[in-house]
Amino acid sequence: MTIFARRARASAGRMHPELSLVSYTLLGHLEESGGCRATDLAAHYALDKSTVSRQVAALERAGLVERRTDPEDHRVQVLDLTEAGRAILAQVTRSRRAAFRERLAAWPEDDLVRFARYLERYNAEPGPATGPDGPDLGRSTREDSVRWKP
């Protein structure tokens, strides 16, 4: 699992030099949630607020995230992706999926099905949101966990 996490972090940097694996994960969550508060991100990933604040500040400086006032509570700032953030997230997602397809292209169908089942089983287990390597990036969307084919 450590090797898997290291590869994921390294591949995120190769896919886009400004986007760490944690940044990619935060952008993905903002896209899925339609925007949220920084405290929501911290709670979701069981991270310290200062850690999320630093990550969000870097994403804002890069022009990938912006703050907007919550229409229901004008005291609250909501984080959301900018168009540039959406574009980079889409680009990195395409690259990530292409890398998975390439790496798994030679696997027999039975192995792919078995591997997908093991990943679904692993991801279904409750567990801490963080570990020594940061946020639990094993969470997937329904699109990613449904039977995957290269």
Side-chain angles (χ1 to χ4, degrees):
M1 292 306 294
T2 300
I3 292 169
F4 183 79
R6 284 183 189 147
R7 281 186 178 159
R9 283 192 299 273
S11 69
R14 283 192 306 272
M15 290 180 201
H16 194 281
E18 296 175 24
L19 206 56
S20 71
L21 184 58
V22 173
S23 296
Y24 174 76
T25 303
L26 296 179
L27 290 176
H29 184 79
L30 289 174
E31 181 181 54
E32 287 175 17
S33 66
C36 66
R37 299 173 303 160
T39 54
D40 297 331
L41 284 173
H44 182 77
Y45 291 109
L47 293 171
D48 186 75
K49 291 176 189 176
S50 64
T51 301
V52 170
S53 180
R54 282 191 302 276
Q55 291 289 329
V56 167
L59 292 170
E60 283 181 296
R61 282 191 304 276
L64 305 177
V65 169
E66 64 187 356
R67 293 178 190 267
R68 59 179 163 78
T69 303
D70 186 336
E72 296 177 18
D73 185 347
H74 295 287
R75 298 169 296 170
V76 174
Q77 294 287 305
V78 176
L79 300 168
D80 204 358
L81 297 177
T82 62
E83 285 305 313
R86 290 182 198 291
I88 285 177
L89 183 62
Q91 171 195 344
V92 173
T93 298
R94 283 190 303 273
S95 297
R96 180 184 63 129
R97 288 183 179 163
F100 284 138
R101 283 186 185 97
E102 182 180 323
R103 189 168 188 109
L104 299 172
W107 286 30
E109 178 75 18
D110 289 348
D111 287 353
L112 289 171
V113 169
R114 199 171 310 116
F115 183 58
R117 285 188 187 137
Y118 290 146
L119 287 174
E120 287 173 359
R121 181 175 162 193
Y122 177 81
N123 288 330
E125 290 294 318
T130 62
D133 292 323
D136 178 3
L137 303 175
R139 292 189 179 106
S140 63
T141 63
R142 175 145 172 72
E143 177 186 352
D144 289 337
S145 65
V146 174
R147 195 168 297 219
W148 182 87
K149 293 190 180 194

